[in-house]
Amino acid sequence: PMDFKIGLFQCIAMIPGVSRSGATIVGAMLMGADKRSATEFSFYLAIPTMAGAFAKDLLDNYKNLSKDDTGLIVIGFIVAFISAFIVVRTVLDYVSSHGFRLFAWWRIIVGSLGFAGLIIFG
């Protein structure tokens, strides 16, 4: 039941500009999870979404691929997996000891720059 409720928070990310991970982390923390567990759960929730996106992209483009591309896809998968593992571990360690303040400021700064860019160049 708690997993389902946190998943509902993920649905909030369908609103443009709302972070999927941010929504699930906030949802988990509102239900009593600690920072590390909430962040970890958010990363786990992303796995089916990313796997689905990969499968859809592969199905949409398989006619354009040759057997020679298989090696590149495998290498890309392995490199992405290793780098994601390192980044997730680093983020979990950081969040456990420092919290989300840096990420909050990052979202505000990047969002403001994006908004300013729309005003200036839009």
Side-chain angles (χ1 to χ4, degrees):
M2 185 171 160
D3 296 349
F4 178 76
K5 291 177 184 174
I6 297 170
L8 290 177
F9 274 91
Q10 180 172 260
C11 293
I12 296 170
M14 290 171 49
I15 300 168
V18 175
S19 165
R20 185 210 57 81
S21 59
T24 55
I25 291 169
V26 168
M29 290 178 65
L30 286 173
M31 291 181 209
D34 62 275
K35 291 181 282 192
R36 184 181 182 96
S37 297
T39 305
E40 199 168 62
F41 188 78
S42 177
F43 284 136
Y44 286 134
L45 262 178
I47 293 171
T49 304
M50 291 187 290
F54 170 75
K56 182 185 179 325
D57 190 43
L58 194 60
L59 284 173
D60 289 347
N61 295 296
Y62 79 95
K63 291 179 183 177
N64 300 325
L65 299 173
S66 70
K67 289 185 179 185
D68 295 335
D69 296 326
T70 304
L72 291 174
I73 292 171
V74 170
I75 290 169
F77 181 84
I78 291 169
V79 170
F81 180 84
I82 291 169
S83 60
F85 182 82
I86 292 168
V87 168
V88 167
R89 205 40 78 194
T90 303
V91 168
L92 288 174
D93 291 343
Y94 182 86
V95 165
S96 296
S97 58
H98 296 94
F100 296 105
R101 183 168 290 168
L102 177 67
F103 298 108
W105 280 109
W106 172 256
R107 296 264 314 159
I108 291 168
I109 291 167
V110 170
S112 298
L113 290 172
F115 190 62
L118 283 174
I119 293 171
I120 294 168
F121 302 110

